[in-house]
Amino acid sequence: MEMNVLEIFNEDRLPGAVVTVIYDAYSSAWRIPLLLLRRAIESGYFGVISNYTGPLTNFIKRAGTVGLDVRTALEMGDLAIIDLFGTRYSSRAAMPNVFYLDKVEPETINPKISHIYETELGEVLSKKTAFRLIYTLEGAALMLGEESTLKLLNQTLASRGTQLPNSTLVLPINRDVVSEKFVAWVAGVSDYVLLARSSFEPDGIREYLYAISSPCEEFEPTAYLFRVTGGKGTEKLKVKKISP
């Protein structure tokens, strides 16, 4: 029996959790973090994206595949984007609630992002719980280096855990771009870990999704068939349990 991919997550355990979605170059699982973001915004959370991967126009198009209208969310004050890619490569978009730094360097990036949280986003975050998405973690690693990215992530986990204790942090990562050590470390600090694997078979591409870790006491690792349907919104991504 098929179910919505979001049913894998226990909504009551998402506040304060770190969620990592690991996929390969040919997987469609990059949509899962975006669908989580859409549901969070619709549930009253305030979305904060740190964009390290591509121009914002690309992110807007990708988010649109799960029915998330980024431009409207920005205009309505339901979402903010800290555009590190745009900062680094001088690709700036004239949209509300999109923020840029003067420059991107590992030594100062976290204090500068914290300043945006405390000033520009301080008022809204005093009223709404944050749902944070690093888009994407391999993008950050390519921009800043793997070792620097892990150190910065450590700092982020420590500081935001104090400043925004109920916020959810989602970390999408393409494992074909970074080292196994990098992926293993990120998985080790995460509460939820999903691993997607695409397989080329005679009848086409088949995808498998493995729920490896969860903060729920009753959790047991589970394997699913995963597919993208022609549906919309939360009905877009479906899974079917194949084990245990």
Side-chain angles (χ1 to χ4, degrees):
M1 179 179 177
E2 279 194 328
M3 65 180 187
N4 181 322
V5 71
L6 296 184
E7 293 181 49
I8 292 175
F9 301 93
N10 184 327
E11 282 193 75
D12 294 337
R13 302 292 179 89
L14 279 174
V18 178
V19 180
T20 294
V21 181
I22 305 165
Y23 46 88
D24 60 44
Y26 307 104
S27 173
S28 299
W30 55 265
R31 290 180 171 89
I32 296 175
L34 299 175
L35 192 58
L36 281 166
L37 174 64
R38 174 185 169 170
R39 184 175 69 175
I41 291 173
E42 291 175 346
S43 299
Y45 288 80
F46 181 74
V48 184
I49 300 162
S50 296
N51 176 51
Y52 291 90
T53 305
L56 285 190
T57 50
N58 289 2
F59 177 78
I60 290 169
K61 290 175 184 176
R62 287 201 153 202
T65 66
V66 296
L68 174 58
D69 187 333
V70 171
R71 293 182 186 274
T72 298
L74 289 169
E75 291 169 1
M76 297 296 292
D78 296 324
L79 176 68
I81 299 175
I82 302 172
D83 189 6
L84 292 314
F85 182 92
T87 298
R88 169 62 68 89
Y89 299 107
S90 301
S91 173
R92 303 198 173 202
M95 289 185 280
N97 288 314
V98 176
F99 303 97
Y100 296 91
L101 308 184
D102 55 345
K103 57 182 176 180
V104 177
E105 52 187 13
E107 296 78 15
T108 60
I109 188 172
N110 268 359
K112 290 175 181 178
I113 290 176
S114 292
H115 182 70
I116 293 173
Y117 272 86
E118 293 165 4
T119 56
E120 302 287 354
L121 305 180
E123 183 176 354
V124 68
L125 290 176
S126 69
K127 301 173 183 176
K128 288 186 173 185
T129 302
F131 183 96
R132 298 175 289 141
L133 169 64
I134 296 180
Y135 187 83
T136 57
L137 206 55
E138 78 271 8
L142 288 173
M143 186 180 293
L144 305 171
E146 289 191 10
E147 185 174 343
S148 292
T149 298
L150 293 182
K151 289 179 180 178
L152 290 168
L153 183 56
N154 251 342
Q155 294 172 8
T156 297
L157 293 174
S159 62
R160 301 290 185 271
T162 301
Q163 297 168 352
L164 302 168
N166 294 319
S167 69
T168 303
L169 175 62
V170 180
L171 307 172
I173 178 171
N174 184 332
R175 70 176 186 269
D176 288 341
V177 177
V178 292
S179 69
E180 289 185 20
K181 177 183 176 181
F182 185 89
V183 175
W185 191 93
V186 175
V189 299
S190 302
D191 299 296
Y192 283 99
V193 179
L194 295 185
L195 171 65
R197 179 176 63 84
S198 56
S199 175
F200 292 87
E201 301 182 4
D203 57 346
I205 298 178
R206 180 167 293 192
E207 287 204 64
Y208 300 89
L209 187 67
Y210 303 91
I212 296 173
S213 180
S214 167
C216 304
E217 182 180 0
E218 66 278 10
F219 171 78
E220 57 182 335
T222 307
Y224 302 89
L225 283 176
F226 170 66
R227 72 184 185 98
V228 180
T229 75
K232 296 183 178 181
T234 57
E235 297 304 310
K236 185 73 176 177
L237 307 180
K238 294 286 191 177
V239 291
K240 182 180 181 181
K241 185 184 290 189
I242 54 178
S243 77

